[in-house]
Amino acid sequence: MNRTTGNSPFSQPDEHGHFGRFGGVFVSETLIAALSELTDAWRAARDDETFWAAFQHEMAHYVGRPSPIYHARNWSQQLGGAQIYLKREDLNHTGSHKVNNCIGQALLARRMGKTRIIAETGAGQHGVATASVAARYGLPCVVYMGAEDVRRQASNVYRMKLLGAEVRAVESGSRTLKDALNEAMRDWVTNIADTFYIIGTVAGPHPYPQMVRDFQSIIGHECREQMVKLAGRQPDEIIACVGGGSNAIGIFHPYLDEANVRLTGVEAAGKGLHTPFHAAALGCGRAGVLHGNRTMLLQDANGQIMEAHSVSAGLDYPGVGPEHAWLQETGRVQYVAASDDEALAAFHALTRAEGILPALESSHALAHAARIAPTLPKDAIVLVNLSGRGDKDMHTVAEYGGLQL
Ligand SMILES: *Cc1c(COP(=O)(O)O)cnc(C)c1O
């Protein structure tokens, strides 16, 4: 159920992991063996019904799936146009869509006989999801995190430690996500025999972008069934925020062949696309290589990777998954951006109208929904992927000048 049919124009990547001119494998010689072992194991698991049965069991009993779809009637009425529906990934165990992918990769690690998990994290959300799943399966877990991020995200670091993970602060470079990525790769090269590297979004070298997409596609597959039951038809438009792009590809992918469903990804415009303080790799970036694949990246005139900025830590990534770069080029998905201010406004509006505190990442998707809903007829349907809950963002919201804590 998590696979696309072979004859769709969207059944990418090819066997080398290319999505058009994007994707692929750009790693040092020493990682090739590990990646081909992973690719073979993934190919076999993907064709094995018992693997997906185990995945579905965990999704139901550990994560709490299927996550519901909620018709946000009050907010829709206030906006005065389209009906807005929310896919409630915020209700998953650990509070976002990230756990879907962590469970999938941990099951694959077990199947491969790996006994140790590593991950890298920027904001700490992927680190927390990985540490939870590692605890669940009794696997020791090391999480690499830039020293600067360790300082900024103290409560997530504490959470990971409570869950039994070891957090290694990386002191090199800018001491942020890029540097943590390099350290995680280095660890993997050194400990290939027993270690599984869990990547948190649809980035990295092949097979990660495809594998993470297939795990997250459970979101869109559920929506296809739920929308028919709830509204009698599929939505006119689906909107999701894009950091690395995993929640977006998860809801979009099962709809790629439905030409009548408009698909819109929303990047973080930060302080504005005309400033250097944003995270719009698709909107403003150029093609280049990062994290083992070719994709769209924020880079300066010399090709150096630039720091991304967003009020939401989870969108603060200078690249984007290669499948999104390709989907933008084909025109099947349109990508827009929403600023910090717009995301905060949507955060407050949804919270007050519906009693749901959205994550600041998800608030970027909500901001675009708020922009287009008033321009659409009252019987139009817009489905927003509510990728996570906002409890983690209380301090940021208060600092930004909402109600004081
Ligand atoms: C990590 C995160 C994101 C961004 O990651 P994607 O791979 O783009 O989905 C979005 N929303 C939430 C709640 C997150 O935790």
Side-chain angles (χ1 to χ4, degrees), residues 34-48 50-52 54-55 58 100-117 133 137 139 188 193-199 206-208 210-212 214-215:
L35 283 168
S36 68
E37 183 196 8
L38 177 62
T39 303
D40 291 347
W42 168 237
R43 205 168 281 150
R46 201 169 184 251
D47 288 335
D48 182 351
T50 65
F51 178 79
W52 290 110
F55 179 73
E58 293 295 271
N100 304 328
N101 167 52
C102 289
I103 291 278
Q105 290 193 51
L107 289 176
L108 186 61
R110 290 215 305 185
R111 188 183 160 104
M112 293 171 72
K114 303 294 179 185
T115 54
R116 175 176 178 264
I117 298 292
V133 167
Y137 297 115
L139 297 167
W188 199 29
D194 68 346
T195 298
F196 192 102
Y197 177 21
I198 298 190
I199 292 183
H206 180 63
Y208 283 102
Q210 177 195 43
M211 179 169 67
V212 177
D214 287 344
F215 293 137

Side-chain angles (χ1 to χ4, degrees), residues 258-396:
E258 301 251 359
N260 294 333
V261 181
R262 194 176 165 88
L263 304 173
T264 304
V266 186
E267 295 189 294
K271 297 181 199 293
L273 297 184
H274 57 285
T275 75
F277 305 106
H278 62 78
L282 289 166
C284 303
R286 283 182 293 123
V289 171
L290 178 70
H291 205 175
N293 71 96
R294 180 186 302 285
T295 188
M296 296 295 282
L297 301 170
L298 294 178
Q299 32 188 325
D300 66 17
N302 299 320
Q304 291 298 310
I305 305 303
M306 292 173 28
E307 288 282 314
H309 167 88
S310 170
V311 69
S312 65
L315 300 186
D316 208 338
Y317 178 62
V320 63
E323 191 163 9
H324 287 290
W326 175 71
L327 287 169
Q328 170 172 258
E329 213 159 73
T330 64
R332 175 62 186 97
V333 180
Q334 63 158 351
Y335 295 88
V336 299
S339 68
D340 290 352
D341 288 347
E342 290 173 300
L344 260 296
F347 169 92
H348 287 294
L350 187 79
T351 299
R352 287 297 184 96
E354 302 290 351
I356 296 172
L357 286 153
L360 285 177
E361 291 84 1
S362 324
S363 299
H364 288 72
L366 294 167
H368 187 66
R371 219 183 258 162
I372 63 162
T375 71
L376 297 170
K378 288 206 165 58
D379 60 355
I381 297 178
V382 173
L383 174 62
V384 178
N385 199 9
L386 199 70
S387 54
R389 64 178 182 230
D391 307 59
K392 67 185 176 58
D393 296 319
M394 290 304 92
H395 281 92
T396 310

Side-chain angles (χ1 to χ4, degrees), residues 71 76-77 79-84 233 373 375-381:
H71 182 184
S76 304
Q77 200 164 18
L79 291 166
Q83 300 307 306
I84 299 178
R233 67 180 179 91
T375 71
L376 297 170
K378 288 206 165 58
D379 60 355
I381 297 178

